[in-house]
Amino acid sequence: MADADAETFPDLKKTSQELAKHFDLSVKRLEGFKEIRNNVENVSNQMEEIKESLELVRQDVGNRTELASKELFDTANQLDALFSKIDFLEQFVNIVKKTVNDVNDRVDETENLLTNPISRVLDTIKLNTAKSIDNADLMLAPMKPLNIYHTLDYFPRPPPKLSNLKLEN
């Protein structure tokens, strides 16, 4: 069949003979190919090692990411509880502020009441020296008891721990 091809395609035979001159398959060339093949195998082995190293790094990053995300989640929950306590504290401070302002207003009223009867007495003496001083003019307004607030009214107590409870038989 090769002879049939050569007869059918005479130029093919000439071309193959011409190309054979350029392909020197001597021992030197074979050794060069072996060296190239060895280098390719070495590079391939190094790439496998790098691939394994990258896989280990990926697993390590995955583990560390999972741990970090758990810690972040726990910290976020703690911050939520802290912000809730801060909100309760703000409400408590506002109530105490209102109470302090009310007490301050009552102290101001009391001071005014103390100075007003004396002024009224003096004015009464000046206007009408014959008129006697009425005891009602000298009496102070009755004091109202203050409502005292406790911290526990605004900060809920944590539920008791089950480990602290003793079961009775």
Side-chain angles (χ1 to χ4, degrees):
M1 183 158 181
D3 291 333
D5 287 339
E7 291 174 9
T8 310
F9 303 106
D11 291 333
L12 185 61
K13 186 175 183 179
K14 284 182 188 176
T15 305
S16 64
Q17 287 172 351
E18 187 68 32
L19 285 175
K21 291 178 190 176
H22 297 289
F23 290 119
D24 182 20
L25 298 176
S26 65
V27 173
K28 283 186 175 179
R29 294 251 183 202
L30 290 176
E31 287 177 8
F33 284 128
K34 285 182 183 177
E35 187 177 326
I36 290 172
R37 190 180 84 206
N38 287 339
N39 288 341
V40 169
E41 285 180 13
N42 287 340
V43 169
S44 177
N45 288 339
Q46 289 174 351
M47 289 177 69
E48 280 296 320
E49 290 173 1
I50 291 171
K51 180 182 171 185
E52 290 173 3
S53 296
L54 288 174
E55 183 64 30
L56 289 174
V57 168
R58 190 186 68 139
Q59 289 175 355
D60 189 43
V61 166
N63 291 340
R64 291 180 186 266
T65 302
E66 184 178 339
L67 290 174
S69 65
K70 286 180 183 176
E71 289 178 13
L72 285 173
F73 184 75
D74 292 343
T75 303
N77 285 337
Q78 290 173 352
L79 284 175
D80 285 342
L82 179 64
F83 288 142
S84 177
K85 287 182 180 180
I86 289 172
D87 291 341
F88 285 135
L89 179 62
E90 180 184 16
Q91 291 174 0
F92 178 73
V93 166
N94 286 336
I95 290 171
V96 169
K97 177 184 172 186
K98 184 183 177 310
T99 304
V100 167
N101 288 339
D102 289 346
V103 168
N104 192 28
D105 291 344
R106 290 188 59 199
V107 166
D108 289 343
E109 281 179 34
T110 304
E111 286 176 350
N112 287 337
L113 288 175
L114 288 176
T115 56
N116 280 343
I118 294 173
S119 298
R120 281 189 277 168
V121 167
L122 293 175
D123 289 342
T124 306
I125 292 173
K126 289 178 188 175
L127 294 176
N128 188 1
T129 57
K131 182 179 175 189
S132 65
I133 299 172
D134 191 9
N135 283 339
D137 290 339
L138 298 176
M139 296 197 58
L140 298 176
M143 298 291 287
K144 298 177 188 171
L146 296 176
N147 188 5
I148 304 298
Y149 296 98
H150 299 283
T151 306
L152 292 177
D153 293 341
Y154 300 95
F155 293 101
R157 292 182 182 172
K161 293 183 181 178
L162 295 178
S163 61
N164 294 341
L165 298 177
K166 293 182 181 178
L167 298 176
E168 295 181 17
N169 289 337

